[in-house]
Amino acid sequence: MSVRVRRVYDPPEPDDGVRVLVDRLWPRGVSRAAARVDEWPKGLTPSTGLRRWYHAGEGSYEEFARRYEAELAAPEAAQLLDGVRESVRRGPVTLLTSAKSPECSHTAVLVRLLEADRP
């Protein structure tokens, strides 16, 4: 099974599998029909406070990732993460984000956690 990350602005591809939007806010300029999002677990995204802290440049990516992982350990987020893990076990999953640099955003943390659980 595979987990991949794509920008939500990119057109859907046949091999995307389950398309999961992992941003708290709906991306500007993208219709729901064009995005073809299958799941949108808002509780899986970084809190507003953490997101603002990181985007304000107050800390390193490593500190952001550590704080985000702590948020993901909370019961609601952990349950949502388990749901995405189950989707990954069944087939390909594409995490969708509007982040310009997904490799240094919360999506990279999610991919690392999801891939660590794969057999």
Side-chain angles (χ1 to χ4, degrees), residues 49-66:
L50 179 58
R51 187 172 40 85
R52 288 182 179 160
W53 172 84
Y54 181 55
H55 291 297
E58 297 179 20
S60 67
Y61 175 74
E62 291 75 20
E63 179 64 15
F64 166 78
R66 187 188 65 72

Side-chain angles (χ1 to χ4, degrees), residues 6 13 22 26 37 64 67 72 85 115:
R6 298 191 62 223
E13 293 182 0
V22 292
W26 188 263
V37 170
F64 166 78
R67 291 181 182 193
L72 291 172
R85 281 184 182 117
E115 288 185 340

Side-chain angles (χ1 to χ4, degrees), residues 7 9 12 14-15 22 33 36 42 45 47 60 67-69 74 79-80 95-97 99 103 109 111 119:
R7 293 201 68 220
Y9 302 106
D15 61 343
V22 292
R36 284 203 14 232
K42 294 179 192 177
T45 63
S47 66
S60 67
R67 291 181 182 193
Y68 180 44
E69 283 189 49
Q79 184 176 14
L80 291 169
L95 304 181
L96 302 171
T97 183
E103 63 279 355
V109 175
V111 168

Side-chain angles (χ1 to χ4, degrees), residues 4-115:
R4 60 189 241 184
V5 175
R6 298 191 62 223
R7 293 201 68 220
V8 69
Y9 302 106
D10 298 334
E13 293 182 0
D15 61 343
D16 281 347
V18 177
R19 294 171 53 86
V20 181
L21 179 63
V22 292
D23 291 346
R24 185 167 298 266
L25 304 173
W26 188 263
R28 291 182 185 199
V30 178
S31 71
R32 292 181 190 268
R36 284 203 14 232
V37 170
D38 298 309
E39 299 176 18
W40 186 17
K42 294 179 192 177
L44 191 60
T45 63
S47 66
T48 300
L50 179 58
R51 187 172 40 85
R52 288 182 179 160
W53 172 84
Y54 181 55
H55 291 297
E58 297 179 20
S60 67
Y61 175 74
E62 291 75 20
E63 179 64 15
F64 166 78
R66 187 188 65 72
R67 291 181 182 193
Y68 180 44
E69 283 189 49
E71 289 185 356
L72 291 172
E76 179 190 354
Q79 184 176 14
L80 291 169
L81 188 59
D82 285 343
V84 176
R85 281 184 182 117
E86 186 56 38
S87 293
V88 171
R89 286 183 190 108
R90 289 191 303 261
V93 171
T94 299
L95 304 181
L96 302 171
T97 183
S98 61
K100 292 179 182 172
S101 300
E103 63 279 355
C104 57
S105 75
H106 66 289
T107 53
V109 175
L110 289 171
V111 168
R112 182 170 43 80
L113 293 173
L114 293 168
E115 288 185 340

